[in-house]
Amino acid sequence: MLITHAQLATLGAAPCLIDDGALLIEADCIAAVGTTAELTARYPAAERWDAAGQLVLPAAICAHTHFYGAFARGMAIPGEPATNFPEILERLWWRLDKALTPEDVRYSALVCLVDAVRHGTTTLIDHHASPNAIDGSLDVIAEAAQQAGIRACLCYEVTDRDGLQRAQAGIAENIRFAKSNIQHPKIASSFGLHASLTLSDETLSDCLAAANDLGLGFHIHVAEDHADQEDSLRKSGKRVIHRLGDAGILGPRTIAAHCVHVSEGEIGRLAATGTWVTHQPRSNMNNAVGVAPVEAMLHAGVNVGLGNDGFSNQMFAEMKAAYLVHKLAQHDPRAMPGDLVIQLAYAHNARLAQAFWPDLRLGELSAGAAADLVLLDYQPVTPLTAGNLPWHLLFGLEASAITATVCAGQVLVRDRRLLTLDEEAITARSRELAALAWKRI
Ligand SMILES: [Zn+2]
């Protein structure tokens, strides 16, 4: 497939903007990038797709999400409004996740995947919880992801909050899934842990033994709120990064989501262990937990990516939030510059994806990279260059401009039409199931 007459924003190590550009897709990879004149001469027999001047960007990557959270939209939470983060967990999330049946898990994932595919996010790292439907839940999500045609890294969150039996069931689900699912190229696994505040030393050590056997890293919420630090100090006398580090949980294939409340010493430990931190500014603002010291972490050499924590899979919206919140929090318009936001969202997230798919090159349009890309109907009102692309992205581009999504060479959306998922049927069933789940809550 030869995409012609496109404006290509390549990103990658040598970002450039190619006017009247063309891009050859062979199987699941980009085989060549150049001008339309060059590539049509070189590949005269290739099937053509005329982009008619549309902007082409690499598809987005989400470093931390929760497909299981979709039914929370518009849900009335019983009782008084939560006043802090632990209450948000107890009153909303730990009620919702217990209400989920296997069919709910499937449809909750499918509605998130409709959103992801439509809005050009083709690689998602998910963190799942359904305490009354643990066994097999990751297979259900993997089937939905395969149906959608995107890439997903899945895990089940182990926690002691629902007793020993469910903690062990969570461990078993991570093990079972990781063993059963090594064959599918778009599906990967990690080992899920809820957060230090709901995990005992014994459970952490069981998880470490199991993950080491399988060669897996962990995916865990870390220092999202003060409560996680206070709990860790109470339990162990250590701050949470040190508690997890001493338990063997950190490392280059571990994701520590949030890290809003981390000390200089903890930042040093994250850097020294090569642990990934993911930043979710929309969620942090919504939960009023604080602003993660992202630039300090980057400065110290910590790997930081960008996730959405179950907010919409329109990653442009998350990028905008990241761009804005640090300026407000620091009273400094120089904080979190636009090019840094784009680096987190594309280059860093692409590097994080390699922790799960080592041979995969994402986040750039170049020969040999994965054919994961989007077409956008964008008419810039000022000159667009490779250098100022981040600010067009932050101030001009909306995910609604996406007209086509391609993942691993497979066209998932074309002319704004979803080709792999039936949005009408999925949302209709999701509304029915969500209403029933709300009744159970
Ligand atoms: Zn999360």
Side-chain angles (χ1 to χ4, degrees):
M1 170 96 72
L2 184 62
I3 300 177
T4 59
H5 305 298
Q7 191 167 38
L8 300 178
T10 64
L11 305 189
C16 58
L17 196 75
I18 306 173
D19 282 321
D20 199 7
L23 183 150
L24 182 72
I25 297 173
E26 272 179 2
D28 56 357
C29 279
I30 297 171
V33 174
T35 64
T36 297
E38 281 164 10
L39 295 202
T40 49
R42 252 162 68 195
Y43 306 100
E47 182 196 345
R48 306 267 175 96
W49 176 356
D50 186 348
Q54 290 186 87
L55 180 64
V56 179
L57 279 173
I61 302 160
C62 175
H64 172 77
T65 196
H66 300 282
F67 294 150
Y68 82 83
F71 289 0
R73 188 183 299 180
M75 187 179 97
I77 306 166
E80 290 296 305
T83 61
N84 57 40
F85 182 64
E87 286 181 10
I88 292 171
L89 290 178
E90 281 165 26
R91 295 187 190 177
L92 171 58
W93 299 112
W94 295 352
R95 283 181 176 172
L96 176 65
D97 64 11
K98 285 192 188 69
L100 299 176
T101 66
E103 193 184 8
D104 295 332
V105 170
R106 180 182 305 276
Y107 276 84
S108 191
L110 282 170
V111 292
C112 293
L113 291 163
V114 165
D115 180 37
V117 164
R118 183 175 289 296
H119 299 115
T121 304
T122 59
T123 300
L124 297 112
I125 302 177
D126 188 64
H127 193 272
H128 177 64
S130 52
N132 287 315
I134 298 174
D135 186 35
S137 58
L138 297 181
D139 284 350
V140 170
I141 301 171
E143 281 166 23
Q146 283 171 252
Q147 191 185 339
I150 54 94
R151 306 176 195 276
C153 176
L154 306 180
C155 70
Y156 188 88
E157 64 146 69
V158 175
T159 175
D160 291 316
R161 71 176 145 101
D162 301 313
L164 187 66
Q165 200 188 336
R166 283 183 177 132
Q168 290 300 321
I171 293 172
E173 179 62 2
N174 280 302
I175 296 172
R176 187 198 63 72
F177 183 72
K179 281 186 178 161
S180 73
N181 210 64
I182 45 176
Q183 302 299 335
H184 197 282
K186 284 184 184 166
I187 305 293
S189 44
S190 72
F191 200 104
L193 300 172
H194 170 246
S196 172
L197 83 164
T198 68
L199 286 160
S200 68
D201 289 345
E202 295 70 30
T203 302
L204 282 177
S205 110
D206 287 354
C207 292
L208 181 69
N212 280 350
D213 271 355
L214 295 159
L216 294 178
F218 295 94
H219 186 176
I220 177 170
H221 296 100
V222 177
E224 182 171 0
D225 183 69
H226 285 299
D228 203 21
Q229 288 292 5
E230 287 156 15
D231 173 87
S232 179
L233 287 166
R234 253 197 321 270
K235 266 184 196 152
S236 65
K238 300 170 198 169
R239 289 184 66 85
V240 66
I241 291 293
H242 297 306
R243 177 176 186 236
L244 295 174
D246 293 352
I249 303 300
L250 304 181
R253 292 206 293 160
T254 286
I255 295 174
H258 299 296
C259 291
V260 173
H261 301 280
V262 284
S263 66
E264 212 173 300
E266 290 177 292
I267 291 174
R269 185 121 184 217
L270 288 166
T273 51
T275 304
W276 278 90
V277 169
T278 66
H279 180 42
Q280 290 76 220
R282 286 183 294 178
S283 164
N284 296 158
M285 288 191 278
N286 185 50
N287 291 328
V289 291
V291 182
V294 171
E295 284 178 280
M297 288 193 273
L298 290 168
H299 193 71
V302 178
N303 294 315
V304 185
L306 190 71
N308 66 24
D309 212 16
F311 270 67
S312 74
N313 287 311
Q314 305 180 26
M315 290 303 289
F316 291 160
E318 199 71 43
M319 293 176 213
K320 286 167 194 180
Y323 180 73
L324 297 173
V325 72
H326 296 272
K327 293 175 177 61
L328 180 66
Q330 295 174 40
H331 299 278
D332 185 348
R334 296 166 301 177
M336 191 58 88
D339 49 345
L340 185 57
V341 175
I342 303 313
Q343 220 179 314
L344 292 181
Y346 290 95
H348 290 204
N349 277 2
R351 203 150 45 76
L352 168 57
Q354 288 181 331
F356 308 108
W357 294 275
D359 302 326
L360 195 62
R361 241 168 71 211
L362 293 173
E364 61 182 79
L365 305 179
S366 65
D372 286 36
L373 51 90
V374 291
L375 273 64
L376 300 113
D377 181 12
Y378 179 57
Q379 311 294 333
V381 297
T382 55
L384 171 63
T385 65
N388 73 12
L389 177 78
W391 291 271
H392 275 270
L393 218 148
L394 293 163
F395 289 97
L397 278 170
E398 299 293 343
S400 56
I402 291 170
T403 68
T405 303
V406 178
C407 178
Q410 184 188 3
V411 183
L412 309 181
V413 176
R414 187 158 178 174
D415 299 327
R416 299 183 187 275
R417 225 163 44 81
L418 272 68
L419 303 179
T420 53
L421 298 172
D422 181 344
E423 183 172 12
E424 214 179 294
I426 288 168
T427 51
R429 184 67 185 138
S430 155
R431 277 191 299 276
E432 290 171 359
L433 291 170
L436 294 171
W438 289 2
K439 270 192 195 146
R440 290 194 294 276
I441 292 164

